[in-house]
Amino acid sequence: MARLLVLFAVVLLPLLMNGQQTPFTIRGRVYCDTCRCGFETPASTYIHGARVRIECINRDTLEVKYSKDGETDSTGTYNIQVEDDHQDQICYAKLVSSPMGSCKTPGPGRDHSEVILTRSNGAVSNLHYANSLGFLRNQVLPGCTQFLKQYQLQDDAI
């Protein structure tokens, strides 16, 4: 009887529970790179109403197997719920569009972020974070040159 209970707990219970998994939530932010420097700065602004897509592709055929869109809130944050486990797929959060006329060009290297959508990697949380995604402002904000001086490396000649 004890062996039967162990068999049930180890083999059958996870199979039964797998079909009742809560969805993943992918959370991230979308910003306008106001200084066009390729990363978030204190001068960056977050975009309300930006469209983001979660997309998963087959790693062998590169065929899109899953796609779902979402939109950012007033803080530039999106929360997109994703059903199912996408263990053998490569998944990304990708920029789709910006409502800001002066900030519509996706930033190179900041237009997508890989996300993990599987429960087979040891993570127990249903909330997964994506790196921030960024659009480039058409014209650099006045004062960015002065502002960005704080990021310059100091000459540490010894």
Side-chain angles (χ1 to χ4, degrees):
M1 182 66 162
R3 287 185 195 182
L4 186 59
L5 285 173
V6 170
L7 177 66
F8 179 75
V10 173
V11 177
L12 297 178
L13 191 58
L15 289 174
L16 292 172
M17 294 300 290
N18 195 29
Q20 299 174 358
Q21 293 288 345
T22 56
F24 293 105
T25 298
I26 305 302
R27 179 176 296 163
R29 294 185 88 188
V30 178
Y31 69 96
C32 179
D33 187 352
T34 54
C35 292
R36 297 181 64 96
C37 54
F39 53 88
E40 289 173 276
T41 68
S44 298
T45 57
Y46 293 92
I47 303 174
H48 176 251
R51 304 282 306 157
V52 177
R53 177 174 295 137
I54 302 297
E55 191 171 271
C56 297
I57 60 173
N58 179 294
R59 69 178 60 247
D60 297 321
T61 65
L62 302 182
E63 175 187 358
V64 175
K65 299 304 253 175
Y66 180 85
S67 181
K68 185 171 183 183
D69 287 7
E71 190 171 300
T72 58
D73 63 16
S74 61
T75 67
T77 303
Y78 61 88
N79 290 287
I80 302 175
Q81 290 203 343
V82 177
E83 302 291 335
D84 300 326
D85 194 288
H86 297 272
Q87 180 175 357
D88 294 330
Q89 298 169 5
I90 303 168
C91 300
Y92 296 96
K94 301 170 72 171
L95 291 175
V96 175
S97 64
S98 168
M100 293 179 64
S102 63
C103 197
K104 285 187 169 280
T105 306
R110 302 300 282 184
D111 60 341
H112 69 280
S113 173
E114 188 169 354
V115 292
I116 306 298
L117 293 173
T118 185
R119 299 184 196 296
S120 300
N121 64 353
V124 294
S125 176
N126 293 319
L127 177 61
H128 292 220
Y129 291 92
N131 291 333
S132 292
L133 305 174
F135 288 99
L136 297 175
R137 191 169 193 278
N138 296 345
Q139 299 289 325
V140 174
L141 281 180
C144 278
T145 304
Q146 186 67 17
F147 171 75
L148 291 174
K149 284 184 179 180
Q150 69 180 336
Y151 291 107
Q152 291 180 343
L153 296 175
Q154 300 294 322
D155 288 331
D156 292 331
I158 298 178

